[in-house]
Amino acid sequence: MVVVLTRDVMEKFKLELLAGEEGIGRTIVTSDISRPGLEMAGYFTHYPANRVQLLGKTELSFFEMLPANVKLERMRLLCSQDTPAIIISRDLEVPKELLQASNEKHVPVFKTHMTTTKFSSRLTNYLEGRLAPMTAAHGVLVDVYGIGVLIIGKSGVGKSETALELVKKGHRLVADDCVEIRQESENFLIGSPPPLLEHLLEIRGIGIIDIMTLFGASAVRPYKRITLVIELEIWDPEKVYDRLGLEEEKMKIIDTELTKLTIPVRPGRNVSVIIEVAAMNYRLKKMGVNAAEEFSRRLDEVISSTDELDDYSF
């Protein structure tokens, strides 16, 4: 299971640690955030203890209205064994009862200057990205005309060489050999390189080259949404390849289905140009322009008109 440490959130958002320092190694396992309004009122029956607890002006102003004899007990219940962190927004004054309970239960308490809504939104986006389902694919990810193209195929088929040709034409490399893929939301896959392989490309006969050093910063990007998969395979004369493009093949990665094209490779075929055209054609299809369907429609019209002429022939 992918987890995020409380320390990671502290460093990411530059939070001020106020108490419970021993608990900054706690794990966060969900991107959901809780604003414990009912809990401040004493209702802990369905307390989502495994979420980050965010206290804003509303929660703290209500807490100040509570009798002094229940404040500490209320905060002790808030600082449960499973609570990863409690964060105070707007640089508000932190109740001394919370600091005491935090040190007793080793639940870290942080403070941020951001407003409650703004910080909640940013923290949710960060946690969704970090906790998203993840897998890895053997292939090359390239940004071609704004389309994230994942090139896959057997070892030695020419994936990296094709990516190098695309980079020379002005497109951008994201990852070579190993692509880390995260599903950050429904039907939304983000591909990125492992830190060890960032900006690097392996070319047989030459070795490992640094694309950013050779072609500049504009030739690489750190991540890209994957929308099209292209599989390269050695030309098989016994296999029938799609020549019209009416039937769309799909490939499932995690829970997302992507359009997949199979391109046969043999001497004389300019694979990089084919991939460029495939990316442009994919964009046109998304805009409602489908050349294959238009050809099929025209063909049906020609066949229909021919049949009508046959009906009138003598």
Side-chain angles (χ1 to χ4, degrees):
M1 179 183 295
V2 181
V3 295
V4 178
L5 297 180
T6 304
R7 183 187 297 107
D8 299 332
V9 174
M10 179 183 70
E11 294 173 352
K12 171 67 178 179
F13 295 97
K14 297 179 173 57
L15 303 178
E16 180 185 354
L17 177 63
L18 302 176
E21 183 177 359
E22 294 182 16
I24 62 172
R26 292 194 174 203
T27 58
I28 303 172
V29 295
T30 177
S31 60
D32 295 330
I33 297 172
S34 174
R35 293 192 61 180
L38 288 174
E39 287 76 14
M40 291 291 99
Y43 184 77
F44 282 86
T45 304
H46 299 289
Y47 174 43
N50 64 336
R51 302 180 185 180
V52 173
Q53 306 298 317
L54 181 59
L55 301 180
K57 186 176 181 180
T58 303
E59 292 81 13
L60 292 180
S61 60
F62 178 81
F63 179 78
E64 289 302 317
M65 298 169 57
L66 295 175
N69 61 334
V70 302
K71 285 185 176 181
L72 180 58
E73 184 59 30
R74 201 66 49 89
M75 285 304 182
R76 282 173 174 165
L77 291 173
L78 195 68
C79 297
S80 75
Q81 184 66 31
D82 298 324
T83 305
I86 298 174
I87 302 176
I88 310 297
S89 63
R90 293 176 172 269
D91 272 333
L92 295 170
E93 184 178 353
V94 183
K96 63 180 183 299
E97 293 85 1
L98 175 58
L99 297 177
Q100 181 179 340
S102 166
N103 287 323
E104 289 176 1
K105 299 291 189 69
H106 308 302
V107 175
V109 174
F110 302 102
K111 180 188 285 190
T112 177
H113 66 278
M114 282 188 275
T115 61
T116 313
T117 304
K118 185 176 181 180
F119 180 76
S120 176
S121 175
R122 290 191 177 184
L123 180 58
T124 300
N125 290 338
Y126 170 74
L127 292 177
E128 284 182 347
R130 289 289 305 274
L131 297 173
M134 178 180 170
T135 187
H138 175 64
V140 183
L141 180 57
V142 188
D143 179 358
V144 182
Y145 295 126
I147 302 296
V149 180
L150 177 63
I151 305 173
I152 62 175
K154 293 182 179 179
S155 182
V157 77
K159 300 184 295 295
S160 297
E161 290 79 0
T162 302
L164 178 60
E165 186 66 28
L166 288 169
V167 169
K168 286 182 62 181
K169 292 182 176 184
H171 306 292
R172 292 185 285 181
L173 174 73
V174 181
D176 176 50
D177 192 49
C178 179
V179 183
E180 294 183 347
I181 303 174
R182 296 178 183 272
Q183 182 172 289
E184 297 198 350
S185 60
E186 186 177 1
N187 297 324
F188 198 93
L189 297 177
I190 295 293
S192 60
L196 184 64
L197 303 178
E198 199 170 11
H199 309 153
L200 302 180
L201 190 68
E202 178 195 354
I203 303 295
R204 283 176 171 80
I206 297 178
I208 296 176
I209 60 176
D210 190 321
I211 292 297
M212 188 171 72
T213 303
L214 288 175
F215 297 96
S218 62
V220 297
R221 61 175 303 161
Y223 58 88
K224 179 65 182 176
R225 180 185 179 184
I226 304 172
T227 51
L228 179 63
V229 178
I230 293 182
E231 182 176 8
L232 304 183
E233 66 173 37
I234 302 299
W235 187 292
D236 183 359
E238 302 297 326
K239 184 177 179 179
V240 178
Y241 294 100
D242 186 9
R243 299 183 65 178
L244 294 180
L246 288 173
E247 296 183 3
E248 210 173 63
E249 187 180 357
K250 295 290 185 179
M251 178 177 176
K252 191 172 185 179
I253 300 178
I254 307 180
D255 293 326
T256 301
E257 286 194 342
L258 300 172
T259 299
K260 178 188 172 188
L261 304 175
T262 300
I263 297 179
V265 177
R266 69 175 182 181
R269 299 201 89 200
N270 194 326
V271 180
S272 64
V273 171
I274 295 173
I275 291 178
E276 284 183 315
V277 173
M280 290 187 288
N281 192 51
Y282 177 84
R283 291 184 65 179
L284 279 176
K285 285 183 178 180
K286 290 301 179 183
M287 296 168 64
V289 180
N290 192 317
E293 290 180 356
E294 177 65 17
F295 171 76
S296 179
R297 184 188 63 80
R298 292 180 186 178
L299 183 61
D300 289 341
E301 289 178 355
V302 171
I303 294 174
S304 178
S305 62
T306 303
D307 291 341
E308 290 176 1
L309 288 175
D310 289 343
D311 290 340
Y312 287 104
S313 61
F314 298 97

